[in-house]
Amino acid sequence: MSSSPRTVEEIFKDYNARRTGIVRALTYDVDEFYNLCDPEKENLCLYGHPNETWEVNLPAEEVPPELPEPALGINFARDGMTRRDWLSLVAVHSDCWLLSVAFFIGARLNQNERKRLFSMINELPTVFEVVTERKHVKEKPTADSGSKSRGSTKKSTDGQAKSTPKLADELYKEEEEEHGETLCGSCGGNYSADEFWIGCDICERWYHGKCVKITPAKAESIKQYKCPSCSLKRARQ
């Protein structure tokens, strides 16, 4: 890390990139992240990197480390609670880590600069808000995506670091623009990125989760979703 002071803009850019990597780990790449956090392994940490990638790895060995370390041993609690609760807990710890890294790097900032940095950070939804869908980053509903569609990711040689081509907030705004005309097959309401939707794998129509009584947690266990209409048709055959 450079010994010279870094500007508020540089520190915010570093924070946002690390945050983007962690958001991807806990949303788009959540299955891969979950599998990497094997409770049988040693103490593992979730890292977000300045190039917008994420990594599950052992903590740094040097004491004190170059930067603050994330929560240690996140893998040990994985099977002791529901998946959603565990991800929410990791998200909260990740938010704390992101802030600690930002203000560690910005230790030389003056009072006004620290206030400006916090204000810029506070404009973004926290990782916890994204993971718990208070500020939902959602897959784009397309005709051929199905209920289990996921964004494409790039893997590094070790299969752990994942890159993201766009910031989470850019994806959120983009899908609102591109899919504003998508209508719920049940109530006819417009698509909204801050609501949970599920696509039928048979007729490929999309529905509000609340309209078909499907929650995000319930959707996790559904291999192939059939909407009420398609289920009724199959029952009559």
Side-chain angles (χ1 to χ4, degrees):
M1 185 172 64
S2 173
S3 58
S4 61
R6 298 178 62 177
T7 67
V8 171
E9 288 71 22
E10 288 175 329
I11 297 170
F12 176 71
K13 183 178 179 181
D14 181 274
Y15 168 89
N16 202 20
R18 293 176 187 274
R19 171 187 169 278
T20 297
I22 289 176
V23 166
R24 175 169 286 278
L26 299 179
T27 56
Y28 297 109
D29 295 338
V30 66
D31 291 333
E32 295 165 67
F33 169 68
Y34 186 88
N35 291 332
L36 285 171
C37 292
D38 186 346
E40 297 300 318
K41 295 181 180 179
E42 297 180 60
N43 291 288
L44 295 175
C45 299
L46 171 61
Y47 294 88
H49 296 305
N51 61 351
E52 300 185 0
T53 64
W54 62 271
E55 180 182 16
V56 171
N57 211 334
L58 298 172
E61 293 183 0
E62 67 267 23
V63 178
E66 184 181 6
L67 290 174
E69 286 290 304
L72 181 66
I74 57 172
N75 51 311
F76 294 150
R78 192 194 74 177
D79 296 344
M81 58 181 71
T82 66
R83 175 161 157 161
R84 183 181 179 85
D85 288 345
W86 177 70
L87 290 173
S88 297
L89 182 63
V90 173
V92 170
H93 281 288
S94 295
D95 281 319
C96 293
W97 176 70
L98 288 168
L99 283 171
S100 69
V101 169
F103 283 93
F104 181 87
I105 295 173
R108 294 179 177 86
L109 297 177
N110 61 39
Q111 183 179 20
N112 288 334
E113 288 172 328
R114 290 195 303 272
K115 286 182 178 179
R116 187 155 64 92
L117 175 60
F118 180 77
S119 178
M120 293 168 72
I121 290 173
N122 205 36
E123 287 297 312
L124 296 174
T126 64
V127 177
F128 176 76
E129 287 175 326
V130 173
V131 170
T132 58
E133 299 174 359
R134 297 187 183 191
K135 186 73 172 178
H136 191 43
V137 178
K138 192 173 181 292
E139 296 292 337
K140 301 175 184 178
T142 57
D144 59 353
S145 61
S147 60
K148 296 294 178 181
S149 65
R150 295 182 56 194
S152 61
T153 61
K154 299 177 182 177
K155 293 186 180 180
S156 66
T157 53
D158 64 3
Q160 291 189 356
K162 310 291 184 295
S163 68
T164 175
K166 293 180 182 291
L167 297 178
D169 298 291
E170 291 176 347
L171 286 170
Y172 181 84
K173 292 175 183 176
E174 181 184 272
E175 65 185 68
E176 281 280 21
E177 294 170 358
E178 291 186 6
H179 301 284
E181 298 304 315
T182 302
L183 302 179
C184 173
S186 178
C187 72
N190 288 323
Y191 167 76
S192 174
D194 60 1
E195 294 181 292
F196 173 69
W197 284 60
I198 188 166
C200 176
D201 289 304
I202 306 300
C203 67
E204 298 183 342
R205 283 182 294 184
W206 284 81
Y207 298 84
H208 288 111
K210 62 184 179 183
C211 288
V212 290
K213 298 181 180 179
I214 300 291
T215 63
K218 189 174 181 180
E220 291 277 354
S221 61
I222 300 176
K223 293 181 179 180
Q224 183 185 55
Y225 175 67
K226 287 179 285 190
C227 68
S229 178
C230 289
S231 296
L232 188 60
K233 288 178 183 178
R234 294 184 71 86
R236 289 174 176 173
Q237 291 176 353

